[in-house]
């Protein structure tokens, strides 16, 4: 990857910052493209002089993408959205990114999708991601599509959100407690993206599912989280009719949940063939890294003792 110019669409986001750092470490020149480039300026000190570039781009505007990826050796699309913008960003936006990469003559393109992406999925998000994959394939046949399970990391909106709920609620309510998940570490996802970019002959045209080493039910995940944050609270699995009602109202106590997210919880989120080992990446267990930042959710932080838990 040394000295290759890689445009990372959405490089200032949660996953994007890790992809950008992995590329910089590999010696690539990184161009971060997103709607407000100022949100990614924190990446500047992480690269050498002239190693990082920043450009304004919106995946829903094809003209802005054409300018953003001009001269790129490779392109990564990390843009994603829920709700009203799901189709515009996850489907049409992905197509715009792939077409722009092809027109620029890029040798590699990675589309970051999600497990459960399917044009026939029950959720709008899953359908939009599935259609986006098909559109990417048509526009850039040698694209690599990566499908991660739930991604965790210090800045995530997954582990942190549920940890905050566990810290605040008297008991921890769980929706769809028996659904299985396979959380994958954000740095492993970033490493997978870089490996795919570095070897398009081996990974181009393929769909790679990414998951961590731990497969657990949602209830097991919540119980682990309660223990990891030093709390002494019950975990209550809510029946489906209650969960559906909560999703209809749009919130779980302490946390918003949409009907589309409820639909996504109706099926397991696990890989059928985890590609991380093939990529030469040892999947990182949740328990080896998450406790380092979960201390903030303990009642007395890192100084909490067992007698202080609540």
């Amino acid at each position: 990857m040394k000295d290759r110019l890689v445009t990372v669409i959405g490089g200032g986001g949660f996953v994007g910052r890790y992809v950008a750092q992995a590329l910089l470490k590999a010696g690539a020149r990184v161009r971060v493209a997103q709607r407000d480039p100022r949100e990614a300026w924190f990446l500047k000190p992480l690269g050498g002089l002239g190693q990082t570039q920043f450009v304004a781009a919106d995946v829903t505007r094809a003209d802005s993408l054409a300018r953003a990826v001009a001269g790129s050796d490779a392109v990564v699309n990390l843009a994603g959205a829920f709700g009203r913008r799901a189709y515009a960003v996850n489907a049409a936006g992905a197509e715009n990114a792939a077409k722009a990469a092809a027109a620029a003559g890029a040798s590699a393109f990675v589309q970051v999708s999600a497990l459960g992406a399917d044009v026939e999925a029950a959720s709008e998000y899953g359908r939009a991601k599935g259609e986006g994959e098909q559109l990417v394939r048509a526009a850039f046949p040698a694209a690599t599509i990566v499908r991660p399970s739930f991604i965790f990391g210090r800045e995530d909106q997954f582990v942190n959100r549920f940890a905050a709920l566990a810290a605040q609620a008297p008991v921890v309510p769980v929706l769809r407690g028996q659904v299985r998940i396979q959380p994958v570490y954000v740095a492993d996802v970033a490493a997978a993206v870089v490996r795919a970019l570095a070897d398009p002959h081996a990974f181009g045209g393929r769909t790679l599912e990414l998951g961590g080493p731990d497969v657990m039910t949602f209830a097991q995940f919540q119980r682990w989280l309660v223990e990891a944050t030093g709390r002494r609270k019950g975990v209550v699995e809510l029946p489906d009719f209650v969960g559906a009602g909560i999703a209809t109202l749009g919130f779980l106590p302490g946390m918003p949940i949409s009907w589309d997210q409820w639909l996504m919880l109706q099926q397991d989120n696990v890989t059928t063939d985890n590609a991380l080992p093939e990529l030469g990446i040892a999947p990182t267990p949740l328990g080896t890294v998450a406790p380092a930042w979960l201390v903030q959710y303990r009642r007395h932080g890192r100084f909490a003792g067992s007698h202080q838990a609540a």
Side-chain angles (χ1 to χ4, degrees):
M1 299 300 298
K2 187 170 178 58
D3 295 328
R4 294 177 65 188
L5 176 59
V6 182
T7 296
V8 183
I9 301 169
F14 166 49
V15 179
R17 68 186 63 194
Y18 285 86
V19 171
Q21 289 178 70
L23 286 167
L24 291 169
K25 186 176 180 180
R29 292 178 294 136
V30 177
R31 179 185 293 160
V32 177
Q34 58 187 67
R35 285 189 293 175
D36 186 351
R38 292 172 297 182
E39 295 178 356
W41 283 356
F42 65 89
L43 293 169
K44 283 184 178 181
L46 303 182
L49 184 64
Q51 196 178 5
T52 53
Q53 305 173 19
F54 301 87
V55 61
D58 185 334
V59 291
T60 65
R61 292 179 49 205
D63 58 335
S64 72
L65 282 178
R67 293 190 297 270
V69 305
S72 297
D73 297 300
V75 177
V76 181
N77 180 36
L78 288 150
F82 290 94
R84 290 178 297 176
R85 285 174 51 84
Y87 180 85
V89 174
N90 303 336
E95 180 183 31
N96 289 339
K99 284 183 174 179
S107 61
F109 180 84
V110 172
Q111 168 69 18
V112 179
S113 186
L115 277 183
D118 190 329
V119 292
E120 297 183 356
S123 68
E124 181 182 11
Y125 177 82
R127 291 194 302 275
K129 281 289 189 181
E131 186 165 345
E133 290 183 0
Q134 291 187 349
L135 292 170
V136 165
R137 280 272 180 259
F140 201 116
T144 302
I145 293 171
V146 297
R147 291 178 173 176
S149 183
F150 292 106
I151 303 175
F152 67 89
R154 183 177 295 273
E155 307 88 354
D156 71 34
Q157 292 297 313
F158 173 58
V159 173
N160 283 301
R161 176 176 291 184
F162 288 106
L165 176 63
Q168 298 167 5
V171 296
V172 181
V174 181
L175 303 179
R176 300 289 294 162
Q178 295 310 303
V179 167
R180 297 183 305 152
I181 60 175
Q182 192 177 355
V184 59
Y185 187 37
V186 63
D188 293 344
V189 174
V193 169
V194 175
R195 299 285 172 85
L197 289 173
D199 194 353
H201 295 293
F203 302 108
R206 295 182 55 186
T207 297
L208 307 175
E209 296 186 348
L210 309 180
D214 306 310
V215 176
M216 63 188 80
T217 67
F218 212 52
Q220 288 172 333
F221 163 71
Q222 295 282 22
R223 292 189 179 95
W224 175 85
L225 197 55
V226 168
E227 182 178 352
T229 53
R231 300 286 172 170
R232 295 176 181 172
K233 296 183 177 181
V235 174
V236 179
E237 295 186 45
L238 302 179
D240 281 354
F241 76 89
V242 174
I246 289 173
T248 301
L249 293 174
F251 69 93
L252 183 68
M255 182 186 306
I257 177 171
S258 68
W259 181 254
D260 207 52
Q261 290 171 320
W262 169 253
L263 293 175
M264 291 166 61
L265 285 173
Q266 301 309 302
Q267 61 182 27
D268 293 338
N269 197 269
V270 299
T271 63
T272 55
D273 184 15
N274 192 357
L276 286 180
E278 180 188 353
L279 290 160
I281 302 165
T284 304
L286 178 65
T288 63
V289 291
W293 75 81
L294 288 176
V295 292
Q296 65 185 300
Y297 298 105
R298 289 176 174 265
R299 171 171 281 189
H300 298 283
R302 67 178 65 254
F303 303 105
S306 59
H307 64 285
Q308 297 170 317

